[in-house]
Amino acid sequence: MSEQAAMDTSDAAAPEEDNARAQVDGTPAFRRCLEAVRLNDTCFASWSLLVAEAERSQNPLLGDVYERLLAAFPPLYGYWAKAARHAEKVEDSLAIFERGIEATKSASVDLWAKYSQYVVEQAKEGAVSPQACRAILDRAQEACKFDPRSPLVADIVASCLLYTSPSPRDKRQSRMPSSA
C-alpha cells in the first residue's frame, strides 16, 4: 500500500481502501490517531497526537504525516523545521525549509533561525557550500531585520562568520573545515 493511500483523509474512500487503511503499519495508537484525523482533518489536536505517535513509534509514514499536516496548517514553523530535519537528504531538507519560508510568508523569525542553524551545521559538515550557506544567512538577516526577535538569526550568523567569510590570507578561499 502506498503512503498516499495510507494517509488519505478523504471521506470518499472505497471499501478496499478502508481495508488497506486498517492494515497500515504502525502501533494501534498510531492507527487510532490516523483514524481521528481521517474523521476530522481540520482538528489540530488530532494532528498533534498523530505526529507525536508517529515520532514516538518511528513510523515510516512520519514524512507523509508532516506533509499533510503542513498542507492543512501551513503557518506552523516548528513542524516545518521538524519535517526538514526528518528528511533523509540535505537537498530535501533545504527544499522543505524553503517551502516553510514561503508558507509563513518569510515572517517567522523562529523558522529562519532554525533554517539558519541547519544550514550552518550542514556547511560545517561540507554538505552545503559556504556560498550557499552565506546566501541563506543573508536572506535570513534581510527577512528578519525589522523584527524585535532578529537577534535569534543575528547570533547564528555571527557565530558562522568564521566559516563563511574569506580568509584574510586568501580572499578566494573559505575557511570551512571541509575545504582544508
Side-chain angles (χ1 to χ4, degrees):
M1 179 177 75
S2 72
E3 290 182 7
Q4 189 75 12
M7 286 298 302
D8 182 15
T9 58
S10 67
D11 290 327
E16 60 274 2
E17 289 179 27
D18 285 337
N19 290 338
R21 199 179 293 120
Q23 297 172 9
V24 171
D25 290 337
T27 64
F30 177 81
R31 290 192 297 274
R32 282 192 303 274
C33 292
L34 182 60
E35 183 62 17
V37 166
R38 190 188 72 75
L39 292 173
N40 184 2
D41 64 357
T42 61
C43 177
F44 180 70
S46 295
W47 278 106
S48 295
L49 291 171
L50 179 62
V51 169
E53 180 56 30
E55 289 172 340
R56 187 194 67 70
S57 64
Q58 299 178 346
N59 191 290
L61 295 176
L62 180 58
D64 199 45
V65 170
Y66 283 134
E67 288 292 322
R68 291 183 177 262
L69 167 69
L70 292 167
F73 301 97
L76 301 174
Y77 77 87
Y79 285 103
W80 283 107
K82 283 182 166 192
R85 291 219 178 244
H86 174 72
E88 292 182 23
K89 296 178 183 173
V90 173
E91 305 83 42
D92 294 340
S93 294
L94 295 176
I96 292 169
F97 272 118
E98 288 292 336
R99 287 189 5 247
I101 293 299
E102 178 65 28
T104 60
K105 308 294 185 228
S106 294
S108 176
V109 173
D110 295 298
L111 184 57
W112 275 114
K114 290 179 182 301
Y115 188 14
S116 298
Q117 186 63 47
Y118 177 79
V119 80
V120 167
E121 290 168 8
Q122 295 306 311
K124 288 179 180 178
E125 292 178 14
V128 172
S129 73
Q131 296 80 11
C133 178
R134 185 80 229 171
I136 291 168
L137 295 177
D138 288 346
R139 284 177 50 223
Q141 282 192 297
E142 182 64 26
C144 301
K145 68 182 175 186
F146 296 117
D147 192 290
R149 299 184 49 188
S150 63
L152 288 172
V153 172
D155 291 346
I156 294 166
V157 171
S159 71
C160 181
L161 286 177
L162 170 66
Y163 296 107
T164 59
S165 59
S167 164
R169 297 183 312 273
D170 185 353
K171 294 285 183 186
R172 294 169 294 165
Q173 290 284 314
S174 165
R175 292 195 289 178
M176 291 294 276
S178 62
S179 65

